[in-house]
Amino acid sequence: MTSRTKIDALLRSAKPGIEVTVKGWVRTKRGNKNVNFIALNDGSTIHSLQIVADPTIISEETLKQVTTGASIAATGMLVESRGAGQSVEIHADSIEVLGIADPEKYPLQPKKHSFEFLREIAHLRPRTNTFGAVFRIRHAMAYAVHHFFNSKGFCYWHTPFITGSDAEGAGEMFRVSALDPKNPPLTEDGEVDYKQDFFEKETNLTVSGQLEGELGAMALSDIYTFGPTFRAENSNTTRHLAEFWMIEPEMAFYDLNDNMDLAEEFLKYLIQYALENCADDLAFLEKRLLDEEKTKPAIERSEMSLTDKLKFVLENDFVRLTYTEAIDILRNSKPNKKKKFQFPIEGWGTDLQSEHERYLVEKHFKKPVILVDYPTEIKAFYMRQNDDGKTVAAMDILFPGIGEIVGGSQREERLDKLTGLMDKMGVPQDELDWYLDTRRYGSAPHSGFGLGFERMILFITGMTNIRDVIPFPRTPGSASF
Ligand code: 4AD
Ligand code: MG
């Protein structure tokens, strides 16, 4: 058997005049009784390869089975193509149908399908150009994440998915239990007795690896986590998933400024990496976005192409300002005065909604923004308390079209301040005794942040719904596949 060549490698480096075998899935077949043109895609690249099949060489029976979606192996001479839009094609000596796809039933017809429809067939949608491009970029970004941190001497630190603590204190967790839900053991008070459960306590899927990440940083100096995170928040939006991937670096001896510098460098590195390594897929997605923009009313259309947007973020410093300054800008903004915000800005102390974040980024500054020093009450217990007594050293990075993409902070390293705030916020100290030990023994200033991986993929690919940048999305009411 001739060994199989992937189409990406073939288009990059193969010279016409050699015999090759390619394997993949048929996108389209067209032609007449004298010649057939098959567009074959194997997922290694956005580009399909043209296979020219001569019915005097390839049997009619075989050609009949070569329909959209079928899997085939084709062997033949690689020749320069006379057709537009491709450099080479294969003149097939033999075609083997590996798996048929009944044209009456195959859901992916060679036409435009809506993303809503494609979500219902998430098991097949990676075979479309758009999703192939998105998932190849997703892979490239995951690789780039590891490359970035490895090159800086960070340790990839694995934190548990099953935890007994609520790191973010938001109480939006999925329970993990091995008890029989129909007949759970009960305590004397009639409550479910988790002492008899698998872990002999209540456990949940993690909402963040941060607390365990801090333990790593307090020994290895610089660590990062990169894993799935679970939140049972009922946010049915285009930016929330119940299961999403997060990258959480944690650095000993970093203050908030060091933290912001690293985050900005990291985001820019990922964008640069995509521009340098995913050019074909980005070009395809850029065109897709352009076509989508054309269907919108003129005032809603973006003036920038996808690559323009990526380069713009790369080439500009992020704006850094405090929450208090942001509130002033928002309070005096046109949409606030004209009551256009769904959540009007009234005073200091309330959390910002995504409409506010996007106003700052897209309308006011027209640049990515890092907001720092948020009110203590609206942030998590572990953030370092500022001297003003009312804010913490938090930082959120806001991106155009996305809103919050990164959340992070300098951590409270002073035991008394930390336990004081925990008591105030009702975070049980006994459950987090292990965490507090890092403040008891060799405590040190440290900082970290979390990047929502899917939100970053949204930004880089120009897709609009977070369900379309993860292969199998988990959202309220939806856990198929
Ligand atoms: O701001 P968050 O909740 O921060 C943390 O979890 C910290 N422990 C991070 C840290 O300091 N180590 O989440 C961080 C990021 C958000 O900025 C957002 O990009 C993403 O995670 N995110 C979500 N992405 C998709 N779906 C959701 N439901 C998300 N919730 C947060
Ligand atoms: Mg946040």
Side-chain angles (χ1 to χ4, degrees):
M1 197 189 87
T2 334
S3 73
R4 173 232 189 168
T5 309
K6 285 209 186 166
I7 292 172
D8 184 47
L10 208 150
L11 293 178
R12 275 179 205 285
S13 56
K15 303 255 172 342
I18 51 163
E19 169 119 337
V20 291
T21 296
V22 290
K23 297 180 182 183
W25 294 269
V26 175
R27 283 293 171 81
T28 56
K29 185 184 71 176
R30 60 193 176 83
N32 51 46
K33 61 183 194 311
N34 299 320
V35 64
N36 281 273
F37 300 103
I38 302 161
L40 192 73
N41 190 284
D42 67 4
S44 60
T45 159
I46 187 87
H47 304 295
S48 294
L49 184 68
Q50 176 154 286
I51 317 281
V52 183
D54 178 344
T56 62
I57 302 173
I58 311 295
S59 75
E60 193 188 323
E61 200 185 333
T62 300
L63 283 173
K64 241 167 105 183
Q65 294 186 335
V66 176
T67 57
T68 297
S71 162
I72 67 169
T75 301
M77 193 62 80
L78 190 70
V79 299
E80 243 167 75
S81 177
R82 271 176 291 160
Q86 65 220 356
S87 53
V88 289
E89 61 191 23
I90 289 176
H91 289 187
D93 296 327
S94 71
I95 289 179
E96 186 191 348
V97 176
L98 304 172
I100 57 161
D102 183 346
E104 300 287 312
K105 294 188 183 143
Y106 186 57
L108 277 178
Q109 293 303 313
K111 62 160 195 173
K112 218 176 157 67
H113 292 292
S114 74
F115 289 154
E116 288 77 13
F117 169 73
L118 290 172
R119 268 172 231 147
E120 288 167 19
I121 52 163
H123 54 303
L124 294 170
R125 68 178 181 169
R127 292 190 192 179
T128 63
N129 279 331
T130 300
F131 287 92
V134 167
F135 296 140
R136 274 187 300 275
I137 290 175
R138 188 180 163 107
H139 157 74
M141 291 298 92
Y143 180 79
V145 165
H146 290 299
H147 194 269
F148 176 82
F149 287 116
N150 185 62
S151 72
K152 289 190 168 296
F154 281 55
C155 206
Y156 183 24
W157 176 251
H158 293 112
T159 52
F161 296 179
I162 300 175
T163 71
S165 59
D166 178 1
E168 292 303 302
E172 294 160 328
M173 297 184 294
F174 291 103
R175 192 186 298 289
V176 173
S177 171
L179 293 176
D180 177 1
K182 284 197 218 90
N183 188 24
L186 300 179
T187 62
E188 278 175 7
D189 308 335
E191 305 271 326
V192 174
D193 186 5
Y194 288 103
K195 285 221 171 64
Q196 295 186 52
D197 203 347
F198 188 93
F199 296 108
E200 299 177 12
K201 61 185 284 197
E202 275 194 77
T203 48
N204 304 287
L205 290 177
T206 188
V207 295
S208 158
Q210 180 196 319
L211 300 190
E212 292 90 350
E214 287 186 47
L215 310 182
M218 286 296 106
L220 302 168
S221 279
D222 299 325
I223 62 93
Y224 70 104
T225 73
F226 185 3
T229 327
F230 309 88
R231 295 193 185 175
E233 54 190 336
N234 213 341
S235 308
N236 227 330
T237 77
T238 54
R239 295 169 306 105
H240 288 87
L241 289 165
E243 178 180 299
F244 65 98
W245 288 64
M246 185 154 54
I247 298 125
E248 294 186 278
E250 194 68 37
M251 297 74 63
F253 317 113
Y254 268 49
D255 67 14
L256 191 66
N257 279 315
D258 302 326
N259 202 23
M260 287 192 276
D261 291 344
L262 182 76
E264 184 167 341
E265 185 189 345
F266 176 45
L267 296 179
K268 287 180 171 172
Y269 176 84
L270 294 181
I271 292 170
Q272 178 85 42
Y273 190 92
L275 286 168
E276 282 172 9
N277 295 278
C278 308
D280 288 1
D281 286 325
L282 282 177
F284 175 84
L285 292 169
E286 170 154 309
K287 182 160 180 316
R288 184 205 76 80
L289 195 62
L290 214 67
D291 292 344
E292 190 184 271
E293 290 285 313
K294 281 186 198 145
T295 67
K296 292 185 187 164
I299 48 157
E300 282 175 31
R301 270 179 227 160
S302 165
E303 295 140 35
M304 285 196 211
S305 73
L306 180 59
T307 340
D308 288 343
K309 276 187 215 162
L310 298 180
K311 289 196 176 141
F312 183 79
V313 169
L314 207 57
E315 286 157 10
N316 284 284
D317 288 342
F318 297 1
V319 177
R320 300 180 183 192
L321 77 161
T322 64
Y323 165 91
T324 306
E325 289 164 328
I327 286 288
D328 281 342
I329 293 170
L330 288 166
R331 198 191 286 123
N332 297 315
S333 70
K334 249 194 211 150
N336 198 51
K337 287 185 169 157
K338 292 192 169 164
K339 306 217 176 332
K340 287 274 162 63
F341 285 140
Q342 198 189 335
F343 299 90
I345 296 284
E346 270 143 17
W348 192 92
T350 52
D351 207 355
L352 299 184
Q353 303 294 325
S354 107
E355 57 179 348
H356 308 133
E357 297 173 342
R358 293 184 59 174
Y359 173 83
L360 289 170
V361 173
E362 290 160 30
K363 298 278 188 297
H364 190 83
F365 290 110
K366 297 191 173 28
K367 275 184 196 175
V369 168
I370 313 185
L371 284 189
V372 299
D373 298 341
Y374 281 74
T376 313
E377 281 73 28
I378 61 172
K379 289 293 184 187
F381 70 91
Y382 51 68
M383 297 193 181
R384 193 173 197 278
Q385 295 155 51
N386 289 328
D387 293 340
D388 62 13
K390 53 180 194 173
T391 62
V392 285
M395 63 135 187
D396 276 9
I397 304 186
L398 316 177
F399 256 35
I402 307 282
E404 181 192 334
I405 196 161
V406 162
S409 67
Q410 185 168 340
R411 317 307 188 191
E412 183 54 83
E413 83 283 11
R414 299 161 295 186
L415 183 66
D416 54 333
K417 295 259 183 202
L418 181 58
T419 51
L421 196 56
M422 285 171 82
D423 288 347
K424 227 164 133 188
M425 292 188 170
V427 181
Q429 283 189 41
D430 51 340
E431 276 175 27
L432 291 175
D433 201 48
W434 47 271
Y435 179 73
L436 294 173
D437 260 1
T438 51
R439 274 62 171 179
R440 292 186 186 112
Y441 310 116
S443 188
H446 62 290
S447 300
F449 63 85
L451 168 67
F453 190 53
E454 284 76 19
R455 292 199 185 167
M456 189 61 183
I457 307 297
L458 271 182
F459 182 72
I460 288 177
T461 59
M463 299 292 282
T464 41
N465 193 315
I466 201 163
R467 294 165 177 81
D468 297 333
V469 296
I470 185 165
F472 305 106
R474 298 290 177 252
T475 52
S478 165
S480 305
F481 314 104

